[in-house]
Amino acid sequence: MNIVIRKCLLAAVLTVLAAFLTTGCATEHRFIKKTAFKDTNQIVIEFAGPVDEAWAKNPSHYSVYEKPDPDIKLKIQTITLSPDRKTVALTFADPLNQNQPHVLTATGITSEGKSLGTAILSVKKVYLGYLFSILIGAMIINNFVFTKYLGLCVFFGTSQKKSTAVGMGITFTIVIVVSAMMAWFLYQFVLRPYRLNFLQIVVFIGLVSLSVQAVDTILRKVNPMLFKAFGVYLVLVIANCIIIAVPLILADNEYNALESLMLALGAGLGFLIALFLMSSVRERLELARVPPTYRGLPIAFVVAGLFALAFLGFSGMSIF
Amino acid sequence: MLTVSVSPHIKSGESVEKIMWTVVVCLLPPLILSVFIFGVQTLIISAVSVASCVAAEAVSQKLLHRPITIKDGSAVITGLLMAYVIPPGVPCWIPILGAVMAIYVAKHLLGGIGFNIFNPALIGRAFLMATFPVAMTSAWLPPIRDAAVFKYMGSGIDAVSTATPLYVLKHYGIGALMEKFGSMSAIYSDFLVGWRPGCIGETSALLLLLGGLFLIYKRYITWHIPVSVIVSVAFFTWVFGGEKFFTGNPLLAILSGGVFLGAFFMATDYVTSPSQAPAKLIFGAGIGALTVLIRLKGGYPEGVCYAILLMNPLVPALEGWFRPKRFAPQKGA
Amino acid sequence: MNDLLLTFPKGGVHPPERKDLTEHSAVEPLPIPEEVEILLNQHFGAPCNPLVKKKDQVAEGDAVGEVDKGLGATIHASVTGSVKGVGLSAHPIAVKAPSILIQTDPSAEPREWQPSDWKGLSREELLRRIKNAGIVGIGGAGFPTHVKLSPPPDAKVDTLILNGAECEPYLTTDHRLMLEHAEKIVEGAKIILTVLGIKDCRIGIEANKLDAIEAMKTACGKASPNGFNVTVVPLKVKYPQGSEKQLIQSITGRRVPGFGLPFDVGVIVQNVGTTKAIHDAVVLQKPLYEKVVTVSGRGIARPANLMVRIGTRISDIASYLGGTLPGLAKVVLGGPMMGFAVSTLDIPVTKTTSGILFLTEDEIDARPYGQCIRCGWCLDACPMGLLPNEIGVYVEAGHAGDTSQFGVFECFECGCCAYACPAKRPLVQFIRLAKMKAKK
Amino acid sequence: MPATTKTNFQLVSNGILNENPIFRLALSMCPAVGISTTVMNGLMLGIAVLFVQVFSSCTIAAIKNYIHPRIRIPTYTLTIATWVTVIDLVLAAYVPAAYKEMGIFVKLIVAFAIITMRLETFACKNTVSASFWDGIGMGFGFMFGMVALGFVRELLGMGTLLGYDVLGFRPLLFFVLPAAGFFCVGIMMAVFNYVEIVYNRKKRAR
Amino acid sequence: MKQIIRITVGLTISCLIAALVMGSVFVITDKAKRHNEHVNVQQTMLGLLGYSTSHPAPPELKLYSIYRYIFTDGNVNTLGYVLPVLKGGGVGYQLMEMDLDGGFVAQHPLDLAPEDASESAERSAALRKAIKPPKTFSYADATIVAKLGEKRLAYLLPGEFPGFKTFIHVMLALDPSFEILGLEITEQEEDPGLGAEIKQDYFKNQFKGKSFKKIKELHVVKEPLPEEYKAYLESQKGKESPIPKAELDVIRSRYQDRDIYALTGATISSKAVTDGVKNMVAKFAYRINRLDKVISARNIPAVF
């Protein structure tokens, strides 16, 4: 059982790593290493080599605008160059709206007297960070169970024992990632282009059943031991509204593939965390002298309410 | 008539009542100080809070046909702690509602003392936060001594117009805070003594520290949780709290807000904290990390209370993971 | 000073010692009572079969009961007199148990036991003498000593530990024995070492008995080494220092595995009282029919250490010491931490009775217990690393059957948890219930 | 398989009381916690569920003889999904404000265990009219639960009922938060349990 | 085998029936949905302009939408405005391309019927026909110009900006001199009782009447809202008010140039709205001036 869990976790971690690695590869200009926001009103450009001070200190060589507003150039107040002449910090008159990607154009970059041409760069919040914030957001801050109140039937049904809860959580995470990715592809490449949005409910529920069936079959063939451990939960997964809610949210928010993956993973892991916490608490409640009218589900609801009160502490949190 | 019972026939002199009332005594100095800082209403609020908690305890136990144990002082502690984490400027009837939630729902519905998953006082506070968000996040009073300094930003019309140091820090930066207090050393000394806006019982780091040390000396609590909470708050603030990494101000972070109150008196609540040393350290470190997370990235300027609440449900799992090392475990078990 | 001494690493409590009531009173012999009731089931193992019938005349030291088969030890008449009958009498644990009632012959002279040299006797002869004397571990459950001294051949025993810790509050029998009979104890240790064929013996004594430590050290020094290595080890004052497994760990650092016995880690443990009895059995060939008992507590007029014949009723002892005082709430056979409370004074002393405590209300804590507040003090107190709080909660919730996961069977009921519990929860009682339920 | 012997009235009252989907069967609780903040929300979602339940029940009851047993569950799912889509589209078109309030929950009706359960245990064995009444009962049961929760939460949370200011002030804002949804459902369930216990005790006394 | 065929046929038939049902419902409801949405938006706009059921808008009031796109051709960005123009007596649409410095680039006719213009899909289709492939376009924003007869009455700007929790969607009404006529919060998910109070009259009406000059340096103050001002703010919307009109004017003039009073306990939300509005107005004023210049210079028959 333990090995099974460890294997699953390992697989999940590897998937996440792979996803992160592939995103980090995109480069924009060979001479510019990195651009990033700093403070509320700064953009920092890191060059691969030293740039000429005369070029760097001239504000007219830069133009910066928010992506949807190419006509409105942002006013650069001061420019500072680091002693090694590799880093330029542009300070703007007004605070930047860092939620928007900014487009930075650096014309005629000169380094040691040599002109290196013009670079157009997009400055945005670290994408990895953004992905990470989607993951953490779905997992903890906007936990689907405690702050979005979804998936409750299964949540209360399978949180009585810790082992059941963990099994359910893992199974659920796998299925939701599989079905959400399938749903995303179908939505992006079939439903949306052909304006069949109204079919999304039917399509998504069909996909969920399909992926449950697929996981069931594959598991049964590939790893019967794993199937024995988790097979019983597969039937329950389909009655969980999170699994249908995630594709719907993906469709509403127009996430890209990676973001969708993060959201689905976050939703699944968040459900796992919620189940784990709830089950460990309920195992203790089993022993408590709960008033008879509250025994069983009612007290579980009250405890979930207390959880939700505690999770209010996360309200308004934005990590990146 | 000779009594016949199972061994042991002698018991240690400690009792639940003794522990609880000692904690109550340790909690009193900050309350007395708060009367000097904010005025008599803090005393009234605390009294209402304690009275309503005790009443709620009695009524709940009566309703649920349990022996009435208001004399053991646990409801008094709940009442005091709940009063300590609400702003001094709230209407004094507010704690009554919190008491019902804290004592009846969070404690007695779950089986009474020993079975509550969450710290009742903090549940009461979270409930009040959700119910009276405006009062609970803005009814700060300036310290009486130099009230004028703390009227934050422009001309205050009524008294309720100051802001907690953490709020100022979060939204206006350290400069604004320096302006209020004069100098960095003035900030530290005022924070240590408690001469600053804040919740009723959280302002005086010094008195809380003394009370906590007394409890540690009496062996009612161990050093693990307080130290790990304070150290991790300091550490994470130092790492993430500044403009760059490793430039935060850890001293300011632990002196401001309710770190000492939370570390010594709330996180150490027997029922809602783990009992093994490694688990305690993890529990405390988790509280510290979540506190800093909420302070820096969250929607509230202060996060100790929510951090403790968020770590509380992890306690059963932590206790399962960290059990005492068995002297002679059965083979194969 | 106390912190530097050897001790076991985990758990334990430090109850008030209250040894001052009796620690300075020398052992005085109790006048022979008019009647003794010798229980046939005094200790660990099968009950004895009576060897005498009604109206038989018996002399001090005659065997009156024997075990047919299985574990057990012979019992002897403790007085000279006539058998009044074989009947039932009150028993500290099993409410009634069979016993032999002997009417004392007041005219009989006390029997004299002549010492003889034991050196040169074979191991078998030594064991036979020990067995015939009916010696059992008089500090604890009363495990027959000759069995204990014959470990299986594959066990590699290298150390003998004499248990002089006497960690229970009030009790001072071992303390007095060590003071008054130090040389006999060392001699007894040599006998045991000879039986076991080893050389090393350590005597563990808690540091609150400094005079006993001194006396024993002197005795060890006086005794000619003969290749034996007998040393005194002062131990930190902590309950349950005298528990076999804890004592072994304190002195040797070895850990007896779960459900194992001391010889699994190469150690044999004997109580100092037992050692003295072994000395008597081998040197004097005197059976075990009298023993030192501490009578203490604030509920008795004159606390004392008495040499008591086995079978003497507690009521006789109480009246000898001036009777009980008002405020008496509880009478405990054994120490206050692990002894048994009895409901009547008509109970005879057995071989394993090390103390009779007359406790008043202010000595015991009879306040009603409350719900567990999860303070975890019992976890800190438990020397076995168990979870008494969880076991208690499980038992109260009716889930006693699920408690074996907490290792409930490893508990030896030292009572530390219940002593430490601020909510006064009867944790030992819960654990006993759990053991009963979980077995099924 | 035996068709139900209950009268229509019994079918309806069964759904509202004995087998109330929220408080007794403890199914479809997400919306009960999530959007029972106002009576209006409860009413609208209740109506949506009522329609989906009734239509699906009738559909299945009508075509029960043509469904191959192997594809029973997929057929149910398809039927429910179809009707949910229909309701979703209609609500989005004609009551956009209320639809926006309910958010994702209308679409989530498709994952409600209660509807599938009624199809499986009732509609596929009974006549169209019995299924109709059973669907009405279940739908009203759900609606009753939602409205009751909405009533409590709206009154205590906002001081209003159906949007009209009743109390003139906001008593406890807490009740419009998700946490309160959990509490309200828990307490309502306890009330149902209590009534049952008292009822059984009385019955036994008789 | 026979069974499989039966199952397949059965499933196919039920899928077809389901698709038929859903498809027909979609077709039936889609129009109504769009209509209702349109009506909804219209009502918000009219509400901002001060019209209501008791005070209906005059028939000569016309609302024209301008849609702004960003065209990208390699590294060159241009702005594309989809403008309502006079076309054969009615209203048609024209695409006008401007460079980033406000210079005119090109002008294309658009095949877009006025009733389809509010549909983004229809507009995209029309744009795709009008511009050549290497050039791509992306939608930026929309502006609605309200015209009463020949006079520009107001600009209506829908917009969104990040709030305390999620994005806050607003509709802002400006008069031709960019004074704020009104602010409506159309969508928000702030905390109930705290940030969600931004939709209360006493907060959003504070923006009303702020001049363009004041908006540029609008701040949020963390001070309690004065009672009389609150009463004044809540007395808006043509309701009967206990305060006499003369006094209202006095109050208005007193607070006209004050900053925005923050909501108690929700400074972040208040600041988000204030900054968002500030930003919207500044950008819009900048753009509409340039657009007007080009339109008058090129003699484009714009209807607004």
Side-chain angles (χ1 to χ4, degrees), chain A residues 18-191:
Chain A
F20 277 175
L21 286 177
T22 45
T23 54
C25 293
T27 51
E28 293 175 72
H29 188 273
R30 62 201 151 79
F31 195 65
I32 292 181
K33 260 168 58 184
K34 210 175 99 190
T35 52
F37 289 117
K38 209 190 144 203
D39 292 352
T40 51
N41 61 343
Q42 273 193 332
I43 288 180
V44 179
I45 316 164
E46 250 180 66
F47 296 93
V51 287
D52 293 350
E53 192 169 348
W55 174 83
K57 289 268 175 136
N58 187 343
S60 64
H61 290 147
Y62 306 93
S63 97
V64 180
Y65 58 87
E66 285 180 26
K67 199 150 185 213
D69 307 310
D71 50 334
I72 300 178
K73 301 280 187 289
L74 301 176
K75 211 158 87 198
I76 297 173
Q77 206 167 40
T78 51
I79 298 173
T80 47
L81 185 66
S82 68
D84 64 355
R85 291 190 289 131
K86 280 185 181 174
T87 312
V88 169
L90 310 177
T91 311
F92 293 85
D94 295 310
L96 302 172
N97 177 6
Q98 301 191 353
N99 286 310
Q100 286 281 13
H102 286 54
V103 177
L104 184 147
T105 316
T107 32
I109 305 169
T110 48
S111 169
E112 317 290 357
K114 222 168 36 180
S115 177
L116 293 167
T118 297
I120 298 174
L121 307 149
S122 159
V123 185
K124 50 188 166 190
K125 285 191 181 175
V126 189
Y127 190 62
L128 278 182
Y130 176 60
L131 282 183
F132 188 65
S133 71
I134 292 182
L135 179 75
I136 295 292
M139 199 160 86
I140 294 170
I141 298 172
N142 295 316
N143 188 292
F144 273 76
V145 177
F146 295 131
T147 65
K148 291 195 174 155
Y149 10 106
L150 294 176
L152 296 183
C153 307
V154 180
F155 176 69
F156 286 110
T158 57
S159 62
Q160 263 151 335
K161 282 199 88 101
K162 231 186 280 182
S163 51
T164 321
V166 173
M168 180 68 209
I170 292 175
T171 317
F172 178 78
T173 310
I174 296 169
V175 178
I176 198 168
V177 169
V178 172
S179 66
M181 290 323 286
M182 280 164 41
W184 180 80
F185 276 106
L186 214 60
Y187 180 78
Q188 289 294 324
F189 299 114
V190 180
L191 292 186

Side-chain angles (χ1 to χ4, degrees), chain C residues 29-281:
Chain C
L30 180 78
I32 296 172
E34 288 176 15
E35 246 179 32
V36 293
E37 289 175 54
I38 298 177
L39 288 168
L40 288 170
N41 185 9
Q42 295 202 355
H43 36 68
F44 197 90
C48 294
N49 291 323
L51 296 175
V52 291
K53 334 185 271 297
K54 199 170 169 182
K55 292 195 176 142
D56 279 1
Q57 291 295 317
V58 289
E60 205 177 314
D62 287 352
V64 292
E66 220 173 40
V67 180
D68 286 349
K69 51 182 172 185
L71 223 49
T74 317
I75 52 175
H76 302 83
S78 54
V79 293
T80 308
S82 61
V83 177
K84 260 175 103 178
V86 179
L88 288 175
S89 44
H91 187 277
I93 310 168
V95 182
K96 289 278 180 192
S99 66
I100 298 169
L101 192 62
I102 302 174
Q103 175 86 44
T104 313
D105 176 5
S107 60
E109 287 294 309
R111 192 162 164 184
E112 290 295 327
W113 304 89
Q114 292 308 322
S116 62
D117 191 21
W118 60 276
K119 294 193 177 76
L121 292 178
S122 71
R123 184 173 170 269
E124 284 69 35
E125 170 61 17
L126 292 174
L127 272 178
R128 196 190 57 78
R129 286 190 185 182
I130 292 170
K131 186 181 179 196
N132 284 349
I135 293 178
V136 296
I138 58 177
F143 195 83
T145 303
H146 64 276
V147 182
K148 201 171 183 178
L149 292 183
S150 328
D154 54 331
K156 291 198 169 48
V157 175
D158 56 11
T159 312
L160 168 72
I161 290 177
L162 289 198
N163 183 355
E166 198 165 50
C167 53
E168 282 257 19
Y170 292 99
L171 302 190
T172 52
T173 54
D174 291 350
H175 186 182
R176 291 313 304 178
L177 273 180
M178 286 188 286
L179 267 182
E180 296 170 21
H181 302 285
E183 276 154 37
K184 287 185 185 169
I185 292 169
V186 174
E187 194 72 11
K190 285 181 187 166
I191 296 169
I192 302 171
L193 290 173
T194 313
V195 170
L196 294 170
I198 55 171
K199 299 288 177 200
D200 266 345
C201 170
R202 313 235 189 112
I203 306 169
I205 305 170
E206 272 190 324
N208 56 356
K209 299 181 255 294
L210 290 174
D211 47 354
I213 294 175
E214 276 314 305
M216 290 305 291
K217 274 187 176 162
T218 323
C220 292
K222 252 193 251 167
S224 49
N226 273 358
F228 293 122
N229 179 19
V230 184
T231 49
V232 175
V233 184
L235 298 171
K236 186 175 168 180
V237 183
K238 186 158 101 176
Y239 178 85
Q241 192 69 266
S243 155
E244 211 168 58
K245 288 177 177 177
Q246 271 63 39
L247 188 70
I248 294 171
Q249 198 185 13
S250 297
I251 293 179
T252 66
R254 299 176 199 173
R255 225 178 236 265
V256 182
F259 303 101
L261 289 170
F263 60 70
D264 289 336
V265 293
V267 179
I268 295 282
V269 181
Q270 284 297 348
N271 182 271
V272 288
T274 318
T275 314
K276 179 186 178 264
I278 289 171
H279 168 268
D280 291 350

Side-chain angles (χ1 to χ4, degrees), chain A residues 276-277 280-281 284-285 287-291 294 299 302-303 306-307 309-319, chain B residues 64 66 101 105 109-111 115 117-118 123 126 130 271 293-294 297-300 306 309-310 313-314 316-317 319 321:
Chain A
F276 177 75
L277 288 180
S280 61
V281 166
R284 186 183 272 193
L285 275 184
L287 308 168
R289 299 196 304 169
V290 176
Y294 277 89
I299 198 68
V302 171
V303 170
L306 295 177
F307 267 101
L309 261 185
F311 268 74
L312 282 183
F314 283 126
S315 88
M317 183 175 287
S318 56
I319 292 187
Chain B
L64 298 172
R66 289 180 184 155
M101 187 71 188
V105 177
L109 275 192
L110 300 192
F115 293 108
I117 307 297
F118 296 92
I123 284 290
V271 186
L293 183 69
I294 294 174
K297 299 287 179 186
Y300 303 103
Y306 279 117
L309 276 182
L310 285 165
L314 211 60
E319 292 206 325
W321 291 333

